[in-house]
Amino acid sequence: MQHNIESKITVKRIAAKEISLFFTSPIAYLFLATFAAVTLFVFFWGESFFARNIADVRPLFEWMPVLLIFLCATLTMRLWSEERRNGTLEFVLTQSVPLWHFVLGKFLGCLFLLLIALVITLPLPITVAILGDLDWGPVWTGYIATLFMGAAYLSIGLFVSSRSDNQIVSLISASVLAGMFYLVGSSVITDFFANQIGDLLRLLGTGSRFESITRGVIDFRDIYYYLSLIVVFLALNTLSLEKERWVTDGSREHHKYWRVFTFLLVANAFSANLWLGQANGLRLDVTRGDQYSISEATESYLNQLQEPLLVRGYFSGKTHPLLAPLVPQMRDLIKEYEVSGKGKVRVEFVDPLNAPELEEEANQKYGIQPVPFQIADRYQSSIVSSYFNVLIQYGDEHQVLGFRDLIEVQARSESDIDVQLRNPEHDLTRAIKKVLRAYQAGGNLFDTVKTDLSLTAYVSTDEKLPEQLQTFKAEIKEVAEELEAQSSGRIKFSFVEPESNGGKVAQEIGENYGFKPMATSLFSNEQFYFYLTLQGNDQIVQLPLGDMSKNEFERNLDAGIKRFASGFTKTVALVTPKPDYSSPYAGRSASFSQLENFLSAELNVVQEDLSDGSVSGEADILLLAAPKALDEKQLFAVDQFLMKGGTVIAATSPYSASLSNRNLSVQKHSSGLERWLEHHGINIEDSLVLDPQNSSFPVPVTRNVGGFRLQELRMLDYPYFADIRSDGLNDDNLITSELPQITMAWSSPVTLDEEKNKTRQVTKLLSSSEHSWLSNSMDVMPKMSSQGVNAFELGGEQSSHLLALVSQGRFDSFYAGQSSPLIEKVEESDDSDSESEKPEGGKDAENELQVSSVIERSPESSRIILFASNEFLSDQIIQMLGSAQQTEYVNTVQMVANAVDWSLEDEGLLSIRSRGHFNRTLPPMEQSAQMFWEYLNYVLAALAIAVVALWERRKRAAKNKQYLELLAA
């Protein structure tokens, strides 16, 4: 114990002495100033932080592996070389203190200086956190990785310095040796080899290990790797100094022990790296939301597996240099699925070029084809066809993910491209969810229904029913009894006559569900009931009658049962505006293909036609994207879908935009929903929201340079693109809580009628900033002053405005107390007695049974989700926002997908859908603000160095005073 205490005191004294020597010479301040200056320059200039527009500090660590090579070599070049040159090394060698004390003391002294240098850079992440939504997990892991890597370089520098008496030779030798450890794992070397050898080389590279930690994942294998380098080179340093003592001692027995001990220490340190390389669970994900870890959502899907799931990665040994570093990341994540699957997930990795049979299977059975990449090295440029695919197979169902499905790209220029895995867990889990549901859809329908169901037919007696409905009633009974027998008692079927017992049931279903008597014509006195409901727990679903055929009823019944099941793909009925070809001058309707494609990855999306006055019975959600001039029948379809307990998601406002290459204008837009929304206590004001916190508008600008006309994009502040983030996003609702930012284009404010909404739960989703204002002006062209900056001025009263909401609860029909518009339409067509007006080849109108009624009240499960903008989901706006951010912009379609899943109570992928490297953008800033934050960091770094100098000066003055007092005593 006493020996250990003395050792600690000795090491501490040596470290303190080295620190004092550092600060008594310009070396420490030169090191700190150089480190801070180069780091800040790389961050703001080399990596163009503000142009990059991502709220992270990856540029801070981008060049750190190379920068530290030279700085650490500079710091250590004099430590032993100067001792040898000044002749003080002999004094050290003759001390009774073990030499490893001196080695460790000098090492800790250098490490302390490196730690101070890292502390000086802390204002950078603090600045980013102030400006945007910074994930601090990768920041702390980045500093940890820098500290460990720097410590490894310091140990290398100390060893090299102990072998030479020339500081320049030490500097060059240390830089070369540390550079070799960096290069062995870099793409410069690994690109010459296949993936397996490349992976092995990356395990030996200081830079490749560094990149793994700075992602936000502390892998203890990486930490041990740096520790092993530190131990190995400090041991070699000690052995090198011990050999200096042996010069005068001759050959002794303990010399042999020293060599053997050092050899075993080095061998075990490196071999332990190989052993730990097989352990995949020694990692800690510190990113927000555990971005690189298997989530509970994924585990829940893996727990549903009844048969083995195959996850096979097709990765070529030779691939594009930007994709090569992503291969080991994909492999690590896929292995996590194997561990979490607990024997239900089988993982394989294949290089198809080395397995012809598997390549043929991939090509013919799964449609997996190689992608040609152009690869250039210092000797030649060539085209290589390579694979970067993942196959998910469950039973006879499979999904294939290609590299375009897995990566996200940010291109600041043609030569400056950043490629990262976008959200690999979400992509893999989404594919697993899809094959799982497709497989279950082919099995027993009731295997995934977790509750008993009741099919109730509220039907009048045969005497009151039209002849066609009497037949349909018999068919319903036949189908229901068959299904009841197949379900082993999971579903119960019953007929209820509403008019019995004095109409008691009719009164109850009228009050609870809004079911009113039906009729076959507007003026008919013959009324009856014919309603079909499916109920389980607290949820009730009304089955539509459709064309009143047996096959249609079977389809609607299956669709209704699937709403209670957990293993079937849900259906979204999408309504988008139809192109207007009536005039060559008509404005082009917005397209929503990106929204449709995004939703189709997880859901069945069908284009819904509301012209028949109804919504398909298979629809679980009705999504209205920029609806235009809905007529009475279409509005009735929307209203009755809500009354049946459905969810209506609407993206609408009183304005729509027309954007062409040379012109931008807005015009009044009538959706047909205005009176309907107002009836439910939701009003969209006839104005546009302008917000000083906004996204940029990319404007093409043509410049004349040396007689050549060059076109470039200039980003202008555009208040009509409200940038919603932080306080404007509802943190308590899963629709918006995981989103970093949303841009609402040409949005309008929403106001609520408190009296009409007092019985419903209203959740505010999106709100503009407190400094936003309203305008009725139709002039929305981007304005730029003569100085080239934004010319919009604040106007009107400034306050926050509601832009999106959820209204949930019981709604009263817009058509309550009125006749069905569908019957009215039939009556109008029946007024004509002309036989020539009857459709050819069809039935006479008098022989067609038209049955309709108005459901006047909805159940508590009904929802209206409103986004007060027509354009924010359109392809043109999404593409424009992506151009402004130099990457794919998917936040808005992610939000709508979240709204769909939340409405369906299918929240499995909600928590991991919004992950991504490039979706946490910086808020728009003027150039003057950018310059302020940049120069502020330079000033803070200089002040930090000045504080260190002042602290060291006072410390030295206090030590000198203490020394003088001892002399005086």
Side-chain angles (χ1 to χ4, degrees):
M1 178 67 71
Q2 183 67 26
H3 177 71
N4 291 336
I5 296 175
E6 291 177 355
S7 298
K8 292 179 181 179
I9 294 174
T10 304
V11 171
K12 183 178 179 181
R13 286 178 178 175
I14 295 172
K17 175 191 172 185
E18 292 298 330
I19 294 172
S20 298
L21 290 175
F22 278 134
F23 285 107
T24 54
S25 67
I27 292 179
Y29 303 106
L30 182 62
F31 173 81
L32 295 177
T34 303
F35 185 87
V38 174
T39 300
L40 291 172
F41 178 81
V42 168
F43 188 82
F44 287 111
W45 290 78
E47 294 297 323
S48 305
F49 169 69
F50 288 109
R52 185 171 175 268
N53 196 36
I54 305 298
D56 65 9
V57 291
R58 283 185 59 205
L60 174 63
F61 305 109
E62 195 78 23
W63 292 90
M64 202 66 76
V66 177
L67 175 63
L68 285 179
I69 289 175
F70 300 102
L71 291 181
C72 290
T74 304
L75 190 62
T76 57
M77 67 180 183
R78 54 173 286 277
L79 290 181
W80 290 117
S81 299
E82 190 171 327
E83 296 268 13
R84 188 184 302 277
R85 184 171 58 84
N86 294 336
T88 55
L89 181 59
E90 288 77 5
F91 174 77
V92 173
L93 297 177
T94 57
Q95 295 295 308
S96 60
V97 178
L99 287 178
W100 68 267
H101 288 190
F102 290 95
V103 173
L104 186 58
K106 288 179 178 290
F107 170 76
L108 293 178
C110 295
L111 191 61
F112 178 77
L113 193 60
L114 176 61
L115 183 61
I116 293 178
L118 293 178
V119 171
I120 290 175
T121 64
L122 277 177
L124 274 177
I126 294 174
T127 297
V128 179
I130 294 174
L131 295 177
D133 184 16
L134 177 65
D135 183 357
W136 279 95
V139 177
W140 298 126
T141 57
Y143 276 111
I144 291 172
T146 302
L147 189 63
F148 275 96
M149 184 177 61
Y153 287 160
L154 290 174
S155 65
I156 293 173
L158 279 171
F159 165 68
V160 172
S161 180
S162 68
R163 304 294 297 172
S164 174
D165 59 357
N166 188 298
Q167 296 185 21
I168 302 302
V169 173
S170 297
L171 171 65
I172 296 174
S173 301
S175 299
V176 170
L177 182 56
M180 290 175 61
F181 275 96
Y182 169 76
L183 287 174
V184 71
S186 69
S187 59
V188 176
I189 303 297
T190 58
D191 286 349
F192 287 102
F193 303 95
N195 272 336
Q196 291 183 346
I197 300 178
D199 290 346
L200 179 61
L201 293 176
R202 289 187 191 96
L203 293 177
L204 301 176
T206 54
S208 53
R209 295 275 193 173
F210 180 82
E211 292 173 1
S212 177
I213 304 178
T214 54
R215 289 187 298 128
V217 179
I218 301 178
D219 194 322
F220 292 99
R221 296 172 296 180
D222 297 332
I223 298 297
Y224 176 78
Y225 168 75
Y226 288 122
L227 287 174
S228 66
L229 285 182
I230 295 169
V231 171
V232 164
F233 282 100
L234 290 183
L236 291 176
N237 189 355
T238 305
L239 178 63
S240 175
L241 294 176
E242 281 289 341
K243 286 184 177 181
E244 298 282 346
R245 284 181 170 179
W246 302 347
V247 174
T248 58
D249 291 350
S251 179
R252 299 286 183 90
E253 186 68 22
H254 73 277
H255 298 173
K256 179 181 178 181
Y257 295 146
W258 261 102
R259 291 189 179 96
V260 172
F261 173 77
T262 304
F263 172 77
L264 292 176
L265 182 64
V266 172
N268 279 279
F270 279 114
S271 60
N273 279 286
L274 300 177
W275 176 75
L276 286 173
Q278 308 303 317
N280 297 316
L282 302 175
R283 59 197 295 272
L284 177 63
D285 189 347
V286 298
T287 57
R288 186 183 302 173
D290 296 333
Q291 186 168 341
Y292 297 99
S293 299
I294 298 297
S295 65
E296 293 182 2
T298 297
E299 291 179 350
S300 68
Y301 289 115
L302 296 180
N303 290 334
Q304 297 177 30
L305 297 175
Q306 302 297 324
E307 296 186 9
L309 174 78
L310 172 64
V311 182
R312 179 184 292 162
Y314 293 92
F315 302 118
S316 295
K318 191 73 171 179
T319 188
H320 194 280
L322 293 176
L323 293 178
L326 306 182
V327 173
Q329 296 180 31
M330 284 300 303
R331 285 181 171 175
D332 288 345
L333 180 62
I334 292 174
K335 289 177 182 177
E336 292 287 334
Y337 277 77
E338 185 176 31
V339 174
S340 298
K342 299 177 181 177
K344 298 178 182 178
V345 178
R346 180 163 57 94
V347 169
E348 297 176 359
F349 298 107
V350 176
D351 185 348
L353 301 180
N354 296 331
E357 294 181 358
L358 290 176
E359 182 178 22
E360 183 179 359
E361 179 190 47
N363 298 156
Q364 297 180 2
K365 184 176 181 179
Y366 304 118
I368 300 174
Q369 299 294 332
V371 178
F373 293 111
Q374 183 172 0
I375 299 175
D377 55 33
R378 59 180 300 183
Y379 299 110
Q380 63 178 353
S381 177
S382 60
I383 301 295
V384 176
S385 294
S386 64
Y387 292 85
F388 192 100
N389 304 87
V390 179
L391 168 69
I392 310 292
Q393 185 176 22
Y394 185 65
D396 56 353
E397 301 291 337
H398 72 271
Q399 286 285 308
V400 176
L401 300 174
F403 76 94
R404 292 183 179 88
D405 302 311
L406 297 167
I407 68 171
E408 61 180 344
V409 180
Q410 187 189 43
R412 294 189 290 273
S413 67
E414 292 184 2
S415 59
D416 189 4
I417 300 176
D418 194 3
V419 178
Q420 296 288 332
L421 290 174
R422 177 180 57 237
N423 193 347
E425 186 195 356
H426 175 269
D427 298 327
L428 289 172
T429 303
R430 182 180 63 186
I432 292 174
K433 174 183 175 182
K434 201 160 188 176
V435 298
L436 181 62
R437 288 186 168 180
Y439 181 79
Q440 290 174 339
N444 189 345
L445 185 61
F446 289 92
D447 286 345
T448 56
V449 178
K450 300 179 180 179
T451 181
D452 292 334
L453 301 178
S454 298
L455 175 61
T456 305
Y458 296 99
V459 179
S460 299
T461 58
D462 290 349
E463 295 78 14
K464 296 183 179 181
L465 295 177
E467 182 179 351
Q468 185 173 344
L469 283 181
Q470 293 178 22
T471 304
F472 186 42
K473 177 181 177 181
E475 292 174 341
I476 289 175
K477 184 177 182 181
E478 178 184 347
V479 171
E481 288 177 348
E482 265 182 45
L483 188 63
E484 188 175 14
Q486 294 173 4
S487 67
S488 301
R490 297 293 306 278
I491 185 170
K492 301 295 183 182
F493 170 68
S494 62
F495 271 111
V496 176
E497 182 185 343
E499 296 95 341
S500 62
N501 297 326
K504 183 178 180 181
V505 175
Q507 183 179 357
E508 289 179 355
I509 62 177
E511 294 176 355
N512 296 333
Y513 310 132
F515 293 167
K516 297 299 180 183
M518 293 180 173
T520 57
S521 67
L522 183 62
F523 304 105
S524 173
N525 293 323
E526 297 180 359
Q527 295 184 333
F528 54 88
Y529 287 88
F530 207 107
Y531 293 96
L532 305 172
T533 65
L534 190 63
Q535 187 169 5
N537 291 337
D538 297 329
Q539 183 181 358
I540 184 169
V541 174
Q542 183 189 357
L543 303 181
L545 300 182
D547 60 6
M548 290 172 288
S549 66
K550 181 178 179 180
N551 292 336
E552 180 74 4
F553 170 69
E554 288 177 340
R555 285 195 297 269
N556 291 335
L557 181 57
D558 283 350
I561 294 174
K562 288 178 181 179
R563 293 196 187 186
F564 298 90
S566 60
F568 292 93
T569 303
K570 307 299 182 180
T571 299
V572 175
L574 177 63
V575 178
T576 57
K578 296 181 179 179
D580 185 3
Y581 301 111
S582 60
S583 168
Y585 303 103
R588 185 177 63 178
S589 299
S591 60
F592 298 88
S593 60
Q594 293 194 48
L595 170 65
E596 185 173 356
N597 292 337
F598 192 91
L599 294 177
S600 298
E602 300 173 22
L603 304 158
N604 291 328
V605 179
V606 295
Q607 286 286 344
E608 182 67 32
D609 184 5
L610 302 176
S611 60
D612 62 351
S614 64
V615 179
S616 169
E618 297 180 353
D620 299 287
I621 297 288
L622 178 61
L623 174 55
L624 308 172
K628 184 176 182 180
L630 298 181
D631 59 25
E632 203 68 27
K633 290 177 67 176
Q634 293 171 319
L635 184 60
F636 181 74
V638 176
D639 179 83
Q640 293 299 284
F641 183 82
L642 181 70
M643 293 303 109
K644 293 175 183 178
T647 296
V648 177
I649 303 177
T652 180
S653 79
Y655 294 89
S656 64
S658 297
L659 184 63
S660 63
N661 290 333
R662 299 191 177 186
N663 185 46
L664 168 63
S665 63
V666 298
Q667 52 275 337
K668 290 296 184 66
H669 178 95
S670 175
S671 65
L673 294 172
E674 294 85 1
R675 294 179 299 129
W676 183 75
L677 289 171
E678 184 178 357
H679 171 77
H680 296 306
I682 303 173
N683 302 289
I684 306 178
E685 294 186 19
D686 189 9
S687 57
L688 290 169
V689 175
L690 290 85
D691 198 331
Q693 177 180 295
N694 55 74
S695 298
S696 299
F697 191 100
V699 177
V701 177
T702 302
R703 295 190 299 118
N704 193 318
V705 180
F708 294 95
R709 296 176 64 84
L710 302 177
Q711 191 174 60
E712 61 184 19
L713 283 179
R714 180 173 297 177
M715 303 301 167
L716 296 181
D717 284 347
Y718 191 60
Y720 290 100
F721 281 8
D723 184 59
I724 315 299
R725 56 178 76 218
S726 60
D727 294 341
L729 295 170
N730 188 327
D731 291 334
D732 299 324
N733 190 285
L734 286 173
I735 297 177
T736 53
S737 61
E738 297 297 325
L739 293 169
Q741 177 270 348
I742 288 293
T743 296
M744 293 293 285
W746 298 295
S747 55
S748 298
V750 180
T751 57
L752 298 170
D753 187 326
E754 298 296 339
E755 182 65 25
K756 293 182 179 180
N757 285 286
K758 65 180 181 180
T759 59
R760 293 189 287 269
Q761 179 182 354
V762 177
T763 303
K764 299 179 179 180
L765 295 179
L766 302 176
S767 300
S768 62
S769 75
E770 295 180 353
H771 303 289
S772 59
W773 71 99
L774 304 178
S775 173
N776 295 318
S777 174
M778 308 287 280
D779 180 14
V780 297
M781 283 291 291
K783 294 180 173 59
M784 186 169 58
S785 66
S786 58
Q787 290 76 29
V789 297
N790 173 39
F792 279 100
E793 297 181 358
L794 298 177
E797 181 182 353
Q798 298 177 27
S799 63
S800 176
H801 297 281
L802 178 63
L803 304 180
L805 59 85
V806 177
S807 181
Q808 179 177 0
R810 188 180 295 275
F811 295 84
D812 293 324
S813 172
F814 180 70
Y815 294 91
Q818 304 179 38
S819 301
S820 168
L822 306 185
I823 295 182
E824 291 179 347
K825 189 67 176 178
V826 172
E827 289 300 318
E828 291 174 7
S829 64
D830 287 344
D831 288 343
S832 175
D833 295 328
S834 175
E835 293 294 330
S836 61
E837 293 183 6
K838 296 178 181 179
E840 296 182 5
K843 296 180 180 180
D844 293 342
E846 60 188 19
N847 294 327
E848 292 181 346
L849 181 62
Q850 299 288 341
V851 177
S852 183
S853 68
V854 176
I855 303 175
E856 297 189 347
R857 181 171 295 179
S858 76
E860 294 287 345
S861 59
S862 298
R863 298 184 184 96
I864 295 176
I865 303 178
L866 174 66
F867 301 99
S869 170
N870 281 308
E871 314 295 337
F872 83 111
L873 293 172
S874 69
D875 295 339
Q876 196 171 20
I877 296 304
I878 291 175
Q879 183 179 2
M880 181 183 298
L881 295 172
S883 299
Q885 298 181 9
Q886 299 97 40
T887 186
E888 185 181 10
Y889 183 80
V890 294
N891 289 359
T892 50
V893 291
Q894 282 180 342
M895 178 174 63
V896 174
N898 289 347
V900 171
D901 284 349
W902 178 81
S903 301
L904 296 172
E905 298 182 356
D906 186 6
E907 301 174 358
L909 296 178
L910 271 173
S911 59
I912 56 176
R913 175 181 286 130
S914 303
R915 297 174 178 176
H917 294 275
F918 304 138
N919 61 358
R920 298 185 182 276
T921 58
L922 295 170
M925 286 182 290
E926 298 285 349
Q927 185 177 356
S928 58
Q930 295 176 353
M931 293 176 63
F932 166 78
W933 289 108
E934 178 182 350
Y935 293 144
L936 177 63
N937 277 274
Y938 285 108
V939 172
L940 291 176
L943 289 176
I945 295 175
V947 169
V948 171
L950 183 61
W951 167 75
E952 178 59 28
R953 181 178 179 182
R954 289 186 176 181
K955 181 180 176 182
R956 190 164 56 250
K959 186 178 293 186
N960 291 336
K961 181 180 179 181
Q962 184 180 8
Y963 178 72
L964 292 175
E965 290 176 351
L966 288 175
L967 290 178

